[in-house]
Amino acid sequence: MVNTEGQLYTIEGIAASVLVMTTIYLVLSTTTILTPGETHVYDMQLEQLGNDILAVMDLNQTWVDNGYGYAKSPLQCYIEKDDGPGFGHRFLTLGKQTIGEENVAEINFIAIVTYRSGANINTYIFNSTRDYSRERAVKVTRWVNVNDNHSNSHLDNRNQTVLLEVLLWRG
Amino acid sequence: MGYLSDQKMTPHHKTKMKSLNDSGQLSLDFLVGISIFATILIIASTMISGLLIGLEAKKIDFDAVAYRTGVILVEDPGEPSKMAFDLTVAEEQQWEFVGLDQKDKIRRFGLALYKSTPRVLAEQKIFSFFNRSKFPDLSEYRERIIAGDYPYSFNISLRSLPTGVTYFLGEPYNPNSTYGYIRRMVLVKGQTMATVDMNRYNVSIPDSSDFYVNISYNKLLNQSWGPQYWIEPPKEDITINLGNMSSVKNQSSMSNVKLKNIKMTFDGILLDGREVTGVDLPYRDFVVKIDGTDYTFVWPDGAAGSHLDVTHSLNITFPAGYFIPPSAYADVTLIRMTIHYEFEPTTVNLSSSNNRYEYIPGNVGFTPSSLTPAVLEVRVW
Amino acid sequence: MAWLNDEGQWIILMGFIISVGIFFLALLVNQSILVGQTTAEAVLDFPKSDIQDLRNEVWVIYSRYNNTPSEQDKVIRDIEVISLIKKNAVVNITPGMWRVHYFNGITNYTEVIYDANNTFFYFYY
């Protein structure tokens, strides 16, 4: 009599525990998509920032006509002079600007210029902070119109539009 | 255990109650059972602590709202907002100039210049947006910028990168708590200014006592520049500084350069297609700084006690919105606005063939508007 | 003996109630995560920046090469070919009317960016 009474309380405790633990296991295994949801938001923020920086760099401060009939943007000048380091420095400087105490993770990037030469599409690495391995990166792009009077040895000598792609990641 | 006090309990239950309550100590197996349950409960609650607080999920929602608010502010010109090229704008058609008594006409804040220029913000819109005098209540801002039904708290800040000038709007935020966040890089289009060196207009044989500054609207909205570089006089500050005034003093005259009056005339096309030139405009009051002293000019006679001595400089800043035409002239298509400086005859050396300055980028002494980078941050919680 | 079973059942009952509570809590959290995820995905999937960039570049081409059609055609070909290969997007730019067509398999977008023959040309800014 005494033995069975004791066992019954224990068994019920164990049964309740198993019930709770099973529920939690099920619940936690379904909510693991929490992580991708988070990174999606970070991707969105980084992509927006990258696009903003390229757009800001693609407008000259004032309208000046240096014999072209239009104002050359800093971005156009970087590509025409093939000045990758200058581009990278400006890009990172703008990327670090904040107002609040926000902790800005360091941004790394690889910038690639894609251009057309006859029937071929060629690319070359314009500038990069370090090699890309397996980080979670976003890609932002900007069309840049280049004047035929440029000093970039990669490009044909003609007026053309090239694609600047920047692969961006944190860390 | 309310049922234990029930009077209709079975004898069995009474016996059991005795064993639990009267003995003063719990049975060992009950203790074992309940402690297994309690231990598991504690372990479980630590495992799902993230679930109970639900922080991450909220943050995602806040981030999405912050993103949308950022898009509205940076990529939208707001509402009401007149199209570009439409210079006969009225105050209630452009939200940054809507007055206090008509503030309900502002339906949405947006800082972009035009819909074709995302990320290029108008300085006047920034001033108007961060000036709380029109909307002291933050909830009125909320319904005009936050895309969401929940009464979110928000903090919007903008910092110009070259000057470091920072604007804030909204509630102070706690940097350690959870909030949605978006950071946008933008360009702010600044104001223009003309500094006229009067020495360039000094002539040996004077035959005029007038000087004109032309603001030609069709030239300022040059399509090949692109809308980011346009100057729209109704929507911007117009600053005209006449410097080096002593150089146009008539040497044969004993008197200093004397300013009689400043008039304003316009050229335009009337509604019936007739073109009119040099029409005298009954202007609103404006302030002229003569050698550093302010004088208010009132139509039609100018400053009280005119015939003002000018030794060095004559500076005028027409604030943004000044050139919004009065409603009586709303149907006129403006071509040119002329600021007409009338000096006392015989006190200046000016020639009628060479006494005009064109207010346009590229002209000598003209400071064009510059696009300066700035950071905009939106926090929502 | 039957009464003994009744006595211990409240422990299981409590375990059951807690389990159900956790389950519903998880259901709610899951739903809200889905909202955040779909918002972020919708933002990332819709090529807003691509289209804005393309619009901007069409303005640039229009203002720089409007008077030299041969240059214009070459530059437009640059954009059309590069976006097909690098962005998997079909882009067609019709000069004169300056109509842009963009299709990346999901988003199909057509707009007249600038029609110089339209008397209300400022409408496009």
Side-chain angles (χ1 to χ4, degrees):
Chain A
M1 174 98 184
V2 174
N3 288 343
T4 39
E5 194 181 334
Q7 272 175 6
L8 276 170
Y9 273 111
T10 314
I11 285 168
E12 278 153 345
I14 290 168
S17 312
V18 167
L19 199 65
V20 172
M21 285 308 284
T22 314
T23 314
I24 287 170
Y25 172 73
L26 280 173
V27 159
L28 285 186
S29 61
T30 51
T31 43
T32 38
I33 48 159
L34 214 139
T35 328
E38 279 274 88
T39 45
H40 268 97
V41 169
Y42 290 136
D43 286 354
M44 177 184 89
Q45 291 171 339
L46 194 60
E47 188 179 308
Q48 188 63 67
L49 183 70
N51 273 311
D52 282 356
I53 294 173
L54 291 183
V56 162
M57 288 168 82
D58 201 16
L59 274 176
N60 198 35
Q61 195 175 12
T62 55
W63 193 86
V64 279
D65 183 355
N66 290 329
Y68 298 102
Y70 57 85
K72 273 192 187 184
S73 73
L75 200 56
Q76 181 180 356
C77 293
Y78 288 132
I79 290 181
E80 286 185 357
K81 292 174 190 152
D82 202 9
D83 181 9
F87 163 80
H89 178 73
R90 182 76 180 144
F91 190 91
L92 289 178
T93 310
L94 289 175
K96 279 177 194 148
Q97 301 295 333
T98 58
I99 304 171
E101 301 91 319
E102 204 69 29
N103 289 320
V104 191
E106 198 163 318
I107 296 175
N108 282 291
F109 73 89
I110 293 182
I112 299 162
V113 171
T114 305
Y115 57 97
R116 184 175 72 97
S117 175
N120 300 323
I121 302 292
N122 302 320
T123 59
Y124 74 94
I125 292 181
F126 190 44
N127 190 233
S128 67
T129 49
R130 64 178 159 92
D131 287 344
Y132 176 70
S133 49
R134 287 188 56 197
E135 290 88 352
R136 206 188 157 84
V138 293
K139 190 173 77 174
V140 295
T141 60
R142 188 87 189 167
W143 296 107
V144 184
N145 188 261
V146 176
N147 194 269
D148 55 2
N149 185 21
H150 62 76
S151 54
N152 188 331
S153 56
H154 298 273
L155 310 180
D156 290 359
N157 279 323
R158 63 179 177 92
N159 294 320
Q160 59 191 302
T161 290
V162 301
L163 182 70
L164 177 67
E165 284 177 286
V166 182
L167 207 61
L168 271 175
W169 69 96
R170 290 172 200 266
Chain B
M1 307 279 159
Y3 69 91
L4 289 181
S5 59
D6 197 328
Q7 294 303 309
K8 287 174 186 173
M9 278 187 286
T10 58
H12 274 318
H13 278 109
K14 282 186 177 155
T15 323
K16 181 63 201 157
M17 262 174 67
K18 238 174 207 161
S19 76
L20 273 178
N21 295 341
D22 299 352
S23 69
Q25 58 184 137
L26 298 168
S27 66
L28 190 67
D29 70 288
F30 178 76
L31 273 178
V32 171
I34 201 79
S35 51
I36 290 173
F37 180 64
T39 315
I40 290 300
L41 208 63
I42 290 166
I43 294 170
S45 62
T46 52
M47 278 170 81
I48 59 158
S49 62
L51 206 69
L52 289 167
I53 301 164
L55 274 182
E56 292 83 357
K58 256 189 195 161
K59 180 158 166 47
I60 289 169
D61 182 46
F62 289 153
D63 277 325
V65 173
Y67 170 81
R68 288 197 288 263
T69 304
V71 168
I72 287 175
L73 286 176
V74 170
E75 298 173 25
D76 187 82
E79 203 177 341
S81 181
K82 265 262 180 174
M83 273 179 280
F85 264 70
D86 206 342
L87 289 161
T88 52
V89 58
E91 268 144 5
E92 69 270 14
Q93 292 169 327
Q94 190 71 24
W95 71 258
E96 66 264 37
F97 298 119
V98 169
L100 191 62
D101 46 338
Q102 286 183 307
K103 64 177 185 179
D104 290 338
K105 290 199 171 178
I106 301 178
R107 290 207 288 278
R108 187 178 67 249
F109 290 112
L111 305 178
L113 265 184
Y114 309 111
K115 68 179 163 78
S116 62
T117 59
R119 304 182 185 91
V120 181
L121 311 188
E123 200 170 42
Q124 193 55 42
K125 287 183 179 174
I126 293 170
F127 292 152
S128 194
F129 178 73
F130 286 101
N131 180 353
R132 292 278 298 279
S133 62
K134 233 180 275 177
F135 296 108
D137 190 355
L138 275 179
S139 68
E140 296 185 281
Y141 274 94
R142 188 178 297 126
E143 61 198 47
R144 287 168 173 87
I145 47 168
I146 305 279
D149 302 326
Y150 179 83
Y152 295 96
S153 301
F154 62 92
N155 181 303
I156 294 162
S157 35
L158 178 88
R159 181 164 65 92
S160 164
L161 294 187
T163 64
V165 176
T166 310
Y167 301 92
F168 286 106
L169 179 81
E171 293 157 54
Y173 66 96
N174 178 0
N176 300 319
S177 67
T178 306
Y179 50 75
Y181 174 76
I182 191 87
R183 175 156 51 112
R184 304 290 308 255
M185 292 297 303
V186 294
L187 289 166
V188 179
K189 180 175 169 263
Q191 312 286 3
T192 55
M193 186 174 78
T195 305
V196 186
D197 181 1
M198 290 306 282
N199 194 30
R200 291 165 46 83
Y201 301 93
N202 181 22
V203 288
S204 49
I205 306 156
D207 65 347
S208 171
S209 57
D210 298 313
F211 190 75
Y212 302 89
V213 174
N214 288 339
I215 303 166
S216 302
Y217 286 11
N218 51 348
K219 289 183 190 165
L220 294 177
L221 294 172
N222 187 327
Q223 272 182 280
S224 66
W225 297 349
Q228 298 89 351
Y229 302 110
W230 285 343
I231 298 164
E232 283 195 82
K235 300 181 190 169
E236 299 174 31
D237 286 1
I238 299 288
T239 302
I240 303 164
N241 297 332
L242 304 190
N244 212 353
M245 284 300 294
S246 55
S247 62
V248 288
K249 179 185 175 311
N250 192 331
Q251 297 304 321
S252 57
S253 163
M254 298 300 286
S255 157
N256 271 329
V257 174
K258 277 189 190 295
L259 179 69
K260 221 165 81 180
N261 200 353
I262 298 177
K263 285 183 177 167
M264 241 179 265
T265 60
F266 71 86
D267 304 352
I269 301 167
L270 303 181
L271 203 57
D272 57 12
R274 264 187 307 136
E275 204 170 314
V276 288
T277 51
V279 183
D280 213 344
L281 187 72
Y283 54 77
R284 275 167 268 194
D285 301 359
F286 62 91
V287 174
V288 184
K289 208 182 258 293
I290 298 173
D291 298 334
T293 313
D294 284 346
Y295 295 90
T296 303
F297 274 61
V298 185
W299 187 81
D301 297 323
S306 270
H307 306 271
L308 302 158
D309 274 10
V310 188
T311 353
H312 304 293
S313 61
L314 212 161
N315 304 340
I316 311 176
T317 296
F318 297 102
Y322 183 87
F323 285 107
I324 289 178
S327 51
Y329 295 84
D331 294 333
V332 180
T333 307
L334 286 171
I335 298 172
R336 182 175 294 111
M337 189 67 75
T338 304
I339 317 296
H340 179 181
Y341 298 82
E342 284 186 334
F343 295 103
E344 192 79 12
T346 74
T347 65
V348 284
N349 270 351
L350 288 168
S351 153
S352 58
S353 62
N354 175 32
N355 58 354
R356 284 170 191 273
Y357 180 86
E358 189 69 41
Y359 192 89
I360 195 165
N363 206 344
V364 184
F366 189 85
T367 314
S369 57
S370 71
L371 304 172
T372 49
V375 189
L376 181 99
E377 288 183 354
V378 178
R379 289 179 175 82
V380 171
W381 67 95
Chain C
M1 284 284 279
W3 55 270
L4 282 173
N5 290 343
D6 292 349
E7 266 312 299
Q9 266 179 5
W10 67 271
I11 298 181
I12 291 197
L13 194 69
M14 252 163 94
F16 184 71
I17 290 170
I18 289 167
S19 303
V20 170
I22 291 168
F23 185 76
F24 274 102
L25 205 71
L27 217 66
L28 283 179
V29 170
N30 246 355
Q31 289 289 359
S32 62
I33 287 170
L34 234 96
V35 169
Q37 193 183 4
T38 45
T39 311
E41 270 176 349
V43 167
L44 287 171
D45 283 348
F46 182 70
K48 178 192 81 166
S49 299
D50 269 4
I51 292 174
Q52 279 180 343
D53 186 21
L54 188 65
R55 289 183 98 251
N56 177 71
E57 194 59 20
V58 169
W59 279 113
V60 167
I61 295 168
Y62 164 73
S63 61
R64 294 185 185 181
Y65 306 114
N66 194 30
N67 299 323
T68 48
S70 60
E71 293 294 305
Q72 193 174 279
D73 290 348
K74 273 187 235 161
V75 174
I76 288 173
R77 185 152 173 73
D78 287 342
I79 295 181
E80 289 176 350
V81 171
I82 293 175
S83 48
L84 193 61
I85 288 177
K86 295 296 287 189
K87 294 188 174 190
N88 293 321
V90 178
V91 170
N92 281 312
I93 300 168
T94 319
M97 264 255 292
W98 295 104
R99 203 186 52 159
V100 163
H101 174 71
Y102 176 96
F103 181 59
N104 68 352
I106 302 163
T107 306
N108 200 342
Y109 182 85
T110 308
E111 188 195 0
V112 176
I113 305 262
Y114 184 84
D115 183 358
N117 297 323
N118 191 332
T119 42
F120 297 104
F121 53 87
Y122 52 76
F123 164 77
Y124 298 106
Y125 290 100

